[in-house]
Short mmCIF file of all heavy atoms in Angstrom, two decimals:
data_model
loop_
_atom_site.label_atom_id
_atom_site.label_comp_id
_atom_site.label_asym_id
_atom_site.label_seq_id
_atom_site.Cartn_x
_atom_site.Cartn_y
_atom_site.Cartn_z
N TYR A 59 4.76 -3.45 0.64
CA TYR A 59 5.79 -3.86 -0.06
C TYR A 59 6.97 -2.88 -0.19
O TYR A 59 8.13 -3.21 -0.51
CB TYR A 59 5.20 -4.13 -1.55
CG TYR A 59 5.93 -5.38 -2.13
CD1 TYR A 59 5.43 -6.70 -1.90
CD2 TYR A 59 7.17 -5.27 -2.78
CE1 TYR A 59 6.03 -7.84 -2.50
CE2 TYR A 59 7.82 -6.29 -3.28
CZ TYR A 59 7.27 -7.64 -3.05
OH TYR A 59 7.84 -8.74 -3.55
N TYR A 63 11.42 -2.74 -0.67
CA TYR A 63 12.32 -1.94 -1.50
C TYR A 63 13.34 -1.17 -0.61
O TYR A 63 14.51 -1.04 -1.08
CB TYR A 63 11.48 -0.93 -2.33
CG TYR A 63 10.30 -1.40 -3.08
CD1 TYR A 63 9.26 -0.66 -3.20
CD2 TYR A 63 10.36 -2.70 -3.74
CE1 TYR A 63 8.09 -1.11 -3.95
CE2 TYR A 63 9.24 -3.12 -4.42
CZ TYR A 63 8.11 -2.29 -4.50
OH TYR A 63 7.05 -2.77 -5.38
N LEU A 140 -1.76 2.90 4.86
CA LEU A 140 -1.03 3.10 3.69
C LEU A 140 -1.76 2.47 2.35
O LEU A 140 -1.87 3.15 1.32
CB LEU A 140 0.40 2.48 3.85
CG LEU A 140 1.40 2.99 2.86
CD1 LEU A 140 2.73 3.13 3.47
CD2 LEU A 140 1.59 2.16 1.55
N GLN A 141 -2.17 1.22 2.47
CA GLN A 141 -2.79 0.69 1.37
C GLN A 141 -4.20 1.22 1.10
O GLN A 141 -4.51 1.32 -0.03
CB GLN A 141 -2.98 -0.92 1.77
CG GLN A 141 -1.63 -1.58 1.89
CD GLN A 141 -1.68 -3.03 2.44
OE1 GLN A 141 -2.68 -3.46 3.01
NE2 GLN A 141 -0.62 -3.68 2.42
N THR A 144 -3.86 4.69 -0.47
CA THR A 144 -3.44 4.40 -1.91
C THR A 144 -4.56 4.05 -2.67
O THR A 144 -4.66 4.66 -3.78
CB THR A 144 -2.35 3.32 -1.91
OG1 THR A 144 -1.22 3.60 -1.04
CG2 THR A 144 -1.84 3.05 -3.32
N TYR A 147 -6.56 7.32 -3.51
CA TYR A 147 -6.14 8.34 -4.51
C TYR A 147 -6.23 7.65 -5.87
O TYR A 147 -6.53 8.31 -6.90
CB TYR A 147 -4.85 8.90 -4.20
CG TYR A 147 -3.58 8.10 -4.64
CD1 TYR A 147 -3.13 8.01 -5.87
CD2 TYR A 147 -2.80 7.59 -3.63
CE1 TYR A 147 -2.03 7.37 -6.29
CE2 TYR A 147 -1.63 6.89 -3.98
CZ TYR A 147 -1.25 6.77 -5.23
OH TYR A 147 -0.15 5.95 -5.60
N GLY A 168 -3.98 -9.00 -3.05
CA GLY A 168 -2.97 -8.50 -2.11
C GLY A 168 -3.52 -7.44 -1.28
O GLY A 168 -4.79 -7.29 -1.14
N GLY A 169 -2.66 -6.80 -0.59
CA GLY A 169 -3.09 -5.66 0.54
C GLY A 169 -3.76 -4.55 -0.26
O GLY A 169 -5.02 -4.26 0.07
N VAL A 170 -3.14 -3.82 -1.12
CA VAL A 170 -3.88 -2.78 -1.95
C VAL A 170 -5.05 -3.36 -2.70
O VAL A 170 -5.96 -2.90 -2.88
CB VAL A 170 -2.79 -1.77 -2.75
CG1 VAL A 170 -3.64 -0.94 -3.47
CG2 VAL A 170 -1.70 -1.37 -1.84
N VAL A 189 -4.47 -12.47 -10.73
CA VAL A 189 -3.85 -13.12 -9.53
C VAL A 189 -3.06 -14.29 -10.03
O VAL A 189 -3.09 -14.56 -11.21
CB VAL A 189 -4.97 -13.70 -8.69
CG1 VAL A 189 -5.70 -12.57 -7.87
CG2 VAL A 189 -5.82 -14.54 -9.20
N SER A 190 -2.25 -14.90 -9.17
CA SER A 190 -1.39 -15.97 -9.54
C SER A 190 -1.86 -17.32 -9.29
O SER A 190 -1.30 -18.38 -9.76
CB SER A 190 -0.02 -15.82 -9.06
OG SER A 190 -0.08 -15.95 -7.52
N LYS A 194 -6.11 -17.41 -4.70
CA LYS A 194 -6.19 -16.07 -4.71
C LYS A 194 -7.37 -15.42 -5.71
O LYS A 194 -8.02 -14.47 -5.30
CB LYS A 194 -4.99 -15.46 -5.31
CG LYS A 194 -3.74 -15.51 -4.31
CD LYS A 194 -2.48 -14.86 -4.68
CE LYS A 194 -1.39 -14.94 -3.56
NZ LYS A 194 -0.28 -14.11 -4.04
N SER A 232 0.62 -2.79 -10.08
CA SER A 232 1.51 -2.66 -9.02
C SER A 232 2.59 -3.75 -9.22
O SER A 232 3.54 -3.77 -8.46
CB SER A 232 0.84 -3.05 -7.74
OG SER A 232 0.34 -4.30 -7.68
N VAL A 233 2.58 -4.49 -10.27
CA VAL A 233 3.50 -5.54 -10.41
C VAL A 233 4.72 -5.17 -11.21
O VAL A 233 5.88 -5.52 -10.92
CB VAL A 233 2.85 -6.81 -11.16
CG1 VAL A 233 3.88 -7.97 -11.46
CG2 VAL A 233 1.84 -7.35 -10.19
N TYR A 254 1.82 1.75 -10.46
CA TYR A 254 2.10 2.33 -9.10
C TYR A 254 2.98 1.47 -8.21
O TYR A 254 3.14 1.79 -7.04
CB TYR A 254 0.79 2.66 -8.46
CG TYR A 254 -0.07 1.49 -7.95
CD1 TYR A 254 0.01 1.14 -6.53
CD2 TYR A 254 -0.83 0.71 -8.70
CE1 TYR A 254 -0.79 -0.02 -6.11
CE2 TYR A 254 -1.70 -0.26 -8.28
CZ TYR A 254 -1.50 -0.62 -7.03
OH TYR A 254 -2.27 -1.70 -6.55
N GLY A 255 3.60 0.42 -8.71
CA GLY A 255 4.38 -0.51 -7.93
C GLY A 255 5.37 -1.32 -8.86
O GLY A 255 5.23 -1.40 -10.04
N ASN A 256 6.21 -2.03 -8.05
CA ASN A 256 7.32 -2.75 -8.68
C ASN A 256 7.47 -4.15 -8.05
O ASN A 256 8.66 -4.51 -7.75
CB ASN A 256 8.65 -2.11 -8.59
CG ASN A 256 8.63 -0.62 -8.38
OD1 ASN A 256 8.32 0.13 -9.28
ND2 ASN A 256 8.90 -0.25 -7.23
N SER A 257 6.45 -4.96 -7.71
CA SER A 257 6.64 -6.06 -6.98
C SER A 257 7.49 -7.17 -7.75
O SER A 257 8.09 -7.92 -7.12
CB SER A 257 5.39 -6.64 -6.42
OG SER A 257 4.46 -6.78 -7.39
N SER A 258 7.41 -7.06 -9.07
CA SER A 258 8.25 -8.07 -9.80
C SER A 258 9.64 -7.33 -10.29
O SER A 258 10.36 -8.02 -10.95
CB SER A 258 7.48 -8.51 -11.08
OG SER A 258 7.35 -7.37 -11.99
N ARG A 279 2.95 7.38 -13.15
CA ARG A 279 3.67 6.66 -12.01
C ARG A 279 3.43 7.36 -10.82
O ARG A 279 4.25 8.22 -10.31
CB ARG A 279 5.07 6.51 -12.51
CG ARG A 279 5.74 5.30 -11.81
CD ARG A 279 5.61 5.09 -10.32
NE ARG A 279 6.25 3.99 -9.89
CZ ARG A 279 6.19 3.65 -8.45
NH1 ARG A 279 5.35 4.32 -7.77
NH2 ARG A 279 6.79 2.57 -8.13
N PRO A 280 2.31 7.20 -10.12
CA PRO A 280 1.94 8.01 -8.94
C PRO A 280 2.50 7.44 -7.61
O PRO A 280 2.83 6.33 -7.55
CB PRO A 280 0.43 8.00 -8.91
CG PRO A 280 0.22 6.47 -9.40
CD PRO A 280 1.20 6.23 -10.37
N THR A 281 2.55 8.32 -6.60
CA THR A 281 2.99 7.90 -5.26
C THR A 281 1.97 8.40 -4.23
O THR A 281 1.60 9.60 -4.50
CB THR A 281 4.48 8.24 -4.94
OG1 THR A 281 4.51 9.74 -4.64
CG2 THR A 281 5.40 7.90 -5.82
N LEU A 282 1.81 7.72 -3.11
CA LEU A 282 0.99 8.22 -2.06
C LEU A 282 1.53 9.41 -1.47
O LEU A 282 0.82 10.43 -1.09
CB LEU A 282 0.89 7.13 -0.98
CG LEU A 282 0.05 7.58 0.27
CD1 LEU A 282 -1.46 7.79 -0.05
CD2 LEU A 282 0.17 6.42 1.40
N LEU A 328 5.88 -12.27 2.21
CA LEU A 328 5.42 -11.18 1.28
C LEU A 328 6.14 -11.38 -0.10
O LEU A 328 5.40 -11.47 -1.31
CB LEU A 328 5.65 -9.81 1.80
CG LEU A 328 5.10 -8.65 1.00
CD1 LEU A 328 3.53 -8.71 0.90
CD2 LEU A 328 5.53 -7.34 1.62
N GLU A 329 7.40 -11.56 0.01
CA GLU A 329 8.07 -11.61 -1.25
C GLU A 329 7.80 -13.05 -2.04
O GLU A 329 7.97 -13.05 -3.28
CB GLU A 329 9.66 -11.60 -1.07
CG GLU A 329 10.00 -10.03 -0.82
CD GLU A 329 11.54 -10.03 -0.44
OE1 GLU A 329 11.87 -10.18 0.66
OE2 GLU A 329 12.27 -9.76 -1.47
N ARG A 331 5.06 -14.32 -2.29
CA ARG A 331 3.60 -14.30 -2.68
C ARG A 331 2.73 -15.07 -1.92
O ARG A 331 1.67 -15.59 -2.41
CB ARG A 331 3.53 -14.53 -4.33
CG ARG A 331 4.34 -13.67 -5.14
CD ARG A 331 4.67 -14.22 -6.52
NE ARG A 331 3.54 -13.84 -7.44
CZ ARG A 331 3.89 -13.87 -8.67
NH1 ARG A 331 4.99 -14.19 -9.12
NH2 ARG A 331 2.84 -13.71 -9.52
P1 LIG B 425 0.78 -7.24 -2.04
O1 LIG B 425 0.04 -7.65 -0.92
O2 LIG B 425 0.01 -6.84 -3.32
O3 LIG B 425 1.88 -8.10 -2.42
C1 LIG B 425 2.46 -8.21 -3.67
C2 LIG B 425 1.78 -9.03 -4.61
O4 LIG B 425 2.39 -8.82 -5.93
C3 LIG B 425 1.98 -10.51 -4.43
O5 LIG B 425 1.19 -11.11 -3.55
C4 LIG B 425 1.77 -11.05 -5.86
O6 LIG B 425 0.33 -11.31 -6.08
C5 LIG B 425 2.17 -9.83 -6.66
N1 LIG B 425 3.46 -10.20 -7.53
C6 LIG B 425 3.51 -10.36 -8.80
N2 LIG B 425 4.78 -10.55 -9.12
C7 LIG B 425 5.46 -10.79 -7.99
C8 LIG B 425 6.81 -11.00 -7.80
N3 LIG B 425 7.74 -11.34 -8.77
N4 LIG B 425 7.32 -11.03 -6.44
C9 LIG B 425 6.36 -10.77 -5.47
N5 LIG B 425 5.15 -10.47 -5.68
C10 LIG B 425 4.60 -10.54 -6.94
O7 LIG B 425 1.67 -5.80 -1.45
P2 LIG B 425 1.14 -4.41 -1.18
O8 LIG B 425 -0.36 -4.42 -1.13
O9 LIG B 425 1.87 -3.89 -0.01
O10 LIG B 425 1.63 -3.49 -2.35
C11 LIG B 425 1.20 -3.72 -3.52
C12 LIG B 425 2.04 -2.97 -4.50
O11 LIG B 425 1.57 -1.51 -4.57
C13 LIG B 425 3.56 -2.99 -4.39
O12 LIG B 425 4.14 -2.97 -5.67
C14 LIG B 425 3.77 -1.61 -3.75
O13 LIG B 425 5.11 -1.18 -3.97
C15 LIG B 425 2.81 -0.82 -4.41
N6 LIG B 425 2.37 0.44 -3.72
C16 LIG B 425 2.49 1.60 -4.26
C17 LIG B 425 2.02 2.72 -3.69
C18 LIG B 425 2.15 4.06 -4.36
O14 LIG B 425 1.75 5.08 -3.81
N7 LIG B 425 2.81 4.15 -5.43
C19 LIG B 425 1.52 2.79 -2.23
C20 LIG B 425 1.29 1.35 -1.68
C21 LIG B 425 1.77 0.37 -2.44
P3 LIG B 425 0.00 -12.50 -7.09
O15 LIG B 425 0.75 -13.77 -6.43
O16 LIG B 425 -1.48 -12.55 -7.11
O17 LIG B 425 0.63 -12.18 -8.46
#
Side-chain angles (χ1 to χ4, degrees):
Y59 220 92
Y63 309 144
L140 199 147
Q141 295 170 350
T144 299
Y147 84 72
V170 179
V189 291
S190 62
K194 287 185 176 185
S232 62
V233 174
Y254 74 98
N256 341 282
S257 53
S258 69
R279 201 317 179 183
T281 72
L282 178 63
L328 184 62
E329 288 180 270
R331 301 162 84 159

